[in-house]
Amino acid sequence: MEEFIINGGNRLYGSVKLQGAKNSILPILAACAATGSVSLLHNCPKLSDVEAAINILRHIGCKVERRGHTVIVDSSNASGYEIPDGLMREMRSSIIFLGALLSRFGKARVTAPGGCEIGLRPIDLHLSALRSMGVNIAETGGMLECVCNASLHGGHITLNFPSVGATENIMLAAMSAKGETVIVNAAREPEIVDLADYLNKCGVTVTGAGQSIIRIEPSGRFFATEHRIIPDRIVASTLMSGVACAGGRICIKEVEKEHLAPIIPIYEAAGCKISFSEREMTVESFGRPRRVRHLRTMPYPGFPTDSQALFMAVVSKASGTSVISENIFENRFRHVPELNKMGADIRVENCCVAVVEGVRNLHGANVTACDLRGGSALAVAAMGAEGQTVLENIYHIDRGCESFETVFESLGADIRRVQRAGE
Ligand code: UD1
């Protein structure tokens, strides 16, 4: 097992290019399986979750080649509609392949995902939407046996919560369904818009992505497609939190300003100075962060749940008390006891509210990453702490941040990846 050794106290200076978005490439890779054509995808981050998705594509018979940050998927000979449990478990969001397999083969056999680090993660919205599109789903012994007796058909689906994964699964199933599909109360995240852009290039007509009502109209044909994955707004907030915790001034290249609109005012309120020049964002922070009275995570365009832990690391050192409400996932404060080991003063009330009493300094400690963003939050907190932090279970971070230590080292952080002592 690998871990990070982080010696805090170095300010961050320099510039970095932002990686492609994990949450965009995963559903787009699933969509590739449904086209039966060739897709050339640029700006694909090198992440363990992306490798897991590629393993699924290969398992069902796709040819996949990676050339640096470009991935080429040829799904013309794909024939497998079953994903074994081992592959499903490699990646939390593998359920996204369900819609794609149904679209391509009219049937699918996958294991039902269990809960995960950040919550129960039910898929009831995915399944009820697919049922309404003509899919028979039998849930037996942890397996989902799905088959369309007649053809998959479009429908008018109203989600009772704008679930990102359910919106994507419906869009994927709708790619080859008979007739138009309308999703009401769809998720509005930028990654949904990216999936829609990819589908439009493939020959599907998708309108309304980024708004609450999305319409998907298949054409019955799929074209070979070239597409560039959008930049990762959550990794942008990881870098912003790094500067806010450690101090300094960095330039993040290839950002999409509009995608960052929900988080910029919050980081500014905490004392960061942020400016843009075309697709470059400069973030500067000197001195102690300021408290933020009450931050609530919400579906886009609200403050993202994926940035909650990262921002908590910042205000843990603020002057004053901040309150953070987590409204999306029920188990997303697992970084709190670890931050407290570093000297933070945070208490969780009623599961979903954290009261953060800012402390002047954090100190190094032996801490454990419990999930991807919580782990990244501990790493950036360590960069702004006094002394040495040993951060275990960094495989969580590798799921979503490409070359985490290389990126921060290039900005001046003292961070090393090492094999755990005694292994
Ligand atoms: C995606 C993102 C994740 C992000 C989340 C919210 C990917 C790969 N992951 O996850 O990083 O934190 O969006 O922005 O894109 N829910 C149900 N029933 C369902 C589906 C969801 O109750 O059928 C609940 C979930 O348990 C959760 C909430 O809805 O409490 C949000 O989930 P959802 O938007 O679906 O998130 P994911 O797609 O899993």
Side-chain angles (χ1 to χ4, degrees), residues 148-206:
C148 309
N149 285 339
S151 63
L152 193 64
H153 58 76
H156 197 281
I157 297 157
T158 301
L159 294 174
N160 64 21
F161 180 86
S163 154
V164 173
T167 302
E168 291 166 346
N169 242 336
I170 299 165
M171 290 168 77
L172 294 171
M175 287 171 72
S176 323
K178 207 169 163 202
E180 186 189 56
T181 299
V182 181
I183 312 173
V184 178
N185 198 24
R188 298 163 63 188
E189 271 70 0
E191 294 75 23
I192 300 284
V193 179
D194 205 25
L195 175 61
D197 287 347
Y198 168 82
L199 294 179
N200 278 319
K201 288 177 192 166
C202 289
V204 184
T205 304
V206 185

Side-chain angles (χ1 to χ4, degrees), residues 20-200:
K22 168 180 89 73
N23 289 353
S24 220
I25 179 71
L26 297 178
I28 289 176
L29 283 173
C32 290
T35 63
S37 185
V38 178
S39 300
L40 188 61
L41 305 175
H42 302 294
N43 204 29
C44 299
K46 295 180 180 173
L47 304 168
S48 53
D49 266 12
V50 173
E51 291 317 305
I54 289 175
N55 287 341
I56 291 176
L57 288 173
R58 289 196 173 122
H59 174 82
I60 63 169
C62 299
K63 274 195 211 144
V64 187
E65 194 189 331
R66 185 188 261 284
R67 292 185 198 149
H69 286 90
T70 295
V71 172
I72 305 149
V73 183
D74 179 353
S75 64
S76 50
N77 290 321
S79 59
Y81 58 88
E82 188 171 336
I83 306 175
D85 189 44
L87 286 178
M88 283 295 284
R89 279 178 198 279
E90 270 185 38
M91 179 179 68
R92 287 290 171 207
S93 31
S94 45
I95 194 64
I96 210 63
F97 276 87
L98 183 54
L101 293 178
L102 287 166
S103 181
R104 180 76 188 273
F105 304 113
K107 55 186 173 180
R109 192 163 193 267
V110 301
T111 43
C116 75
E117 301 88 10
I118 60 174
L120 293 171
R121 289 191 117 155
I123 53 164
D124 53 313
L125 300 175
H126 304 234
L127 300 186
S128 63
L130 293 172
R131 284 187 171 111
S132 75
M133 295 173 79
V135 184
N136 282 318
I137 304 174
E139 298 175 65
T140 44
M143 292 295 297
L144 295 173
E145 303 264 6
C146 309
V147 64
C148 309
N149 285 339
S151 63
L152 193 64
H153 58 76
H156 197 281
I157 297 157
T158 301
L159 294 174
N160 64 21
F161 180 86
S163 154
V164 173
T167 302
E168 291 166 346
N169 242 336
I170 299 165
M171 290 168 77
L172 294 171
M175 287 171 72
S176 323
K178 207 169 163 202
E180 186 189 56
T181 299
V182 181
I183 312 173
V184 178
N185 198 24
R188 298 163 63 188
E189 271 70 0
E191 294 75 23
I192 300 284
V193 179
D194 205 25
L195 175 61
D197 287 347
Y198 168 82
L199 294 179
N200 278 319

Side-chain angles (χ1 to χ4, degrees), residues 363-396:
H363 56 75
N366 280 18
V367 290
T368 304
C370 298
D371 58 63
L372 162 57
R373 306 305 170 187
S376 309
L378 295 172
V380 295
M383 289 174 207
E386 289 173 351
Q388 189 172 83
T389 294
V390 178
L391 174 56
E392 292 180 10
N393 284 0
I394 58 173
Y395 64 87
H396 286 296

